[in-house]
Amino acid sequence: MTYNAGPSCRTINYDDDEDDDNEGDDNAYIRRERYTEDQLRILNEAFSRDPRPSREEKEQLADELCTNYRRIQIWFQNKRASTKKNGPNMESDIGNNGVTDGVSKLLDLQQKDRLI
């Protein structure tokens, strides 16, 4: 099966999977496709402009990011939930490079404690 999500999107060929022996298995693992850094940057920018974009805006994002509408819809839903749970200040750390930013902030705090 070949999937092409738009003119500027790459073609993904699913026939080359090595796990063909699990085709009929109900417990087969479905590989999750992750967003790239560029896609996350675009999504985070869109979220900062409007955390509840219209259907048309989400469809435009889906076309631009070469993915489907449902993935965009779920991303915004999850992002709103995590922002509500963690607060808007935490979300900026998590959105871009949260692990690295968090570790560097922790190291900065430890360094300041040593100096005092």
Side-chain angles (χ1 to χ4, degrees):
M1 176 194 320
T2 301
Y3 174 75
N4 189 355
S8 63
C9 299
R10 64 188 170 113
T11 301
I12 302 169
N13 189 349
Y14 291 104
D15 293 337
D16 297 336
D17 289 345
E18 296 175 11
D19 299 328
D20 289 338
D21 54 344
N22 290 334
E23 269 185 33
D25 189 5
D26 289 337
N27 296 325
Y29 177 74
I30 297 174
R31 218 173 334 151
R32 186 175 84 138
E33 186 177 335
R34 295 184 181 264
Y35 288 109
T36 65
E37 287 182 25
D38 289 336
Q39 288 174 322
L40 285 173
R41 181 183 47 77
I42 291 168
L43 286 167
N44 281 310
E45 288 172 1
F47 185 84
S48 66
R49 285 190 307 269
D50 183 9
R52 295 185 178 274
S54 67
R55 180 177 184 90
E56 292 80 21
E57 292 169 322
K58 287 186 266 191
E59 287 173 348
Q60 288 174 350
L61 277 170
D63 288 341
E64 181 182 345
L65 300 178
C66 301
T67 189
N68 62 31
Y69 169 80
R70 183 70 179 144
R71 280 191 74 208
I72 301 296
Q73 183 182 29
I74 295 295
W75 186 89
F76 273 93
Q77 184 176 345
N78 290 341
K79 182 77 167 179
R80 285 192 302 270
S82 65
T83 301
K84 182 178 179 180
K85 179 180 177 185
N86 298 326
N89 294 336
M90 292 291 294
E91 199 57 40
S92 63
D93 291 344
I94 295 169
N96 296 327
N97 195 4
V99 174
T100 306
D101 290 345
V103 170
S104 64
K105 286 179 182 178
L106 180 62
L107 291 174
D108 288 344
L109 289 173
Q110 288 176 345
Q111 191 73 349
K112 287 178 185 177
D113 285 343
R114 289 183 192 148
L115 295 175
I116 295 177

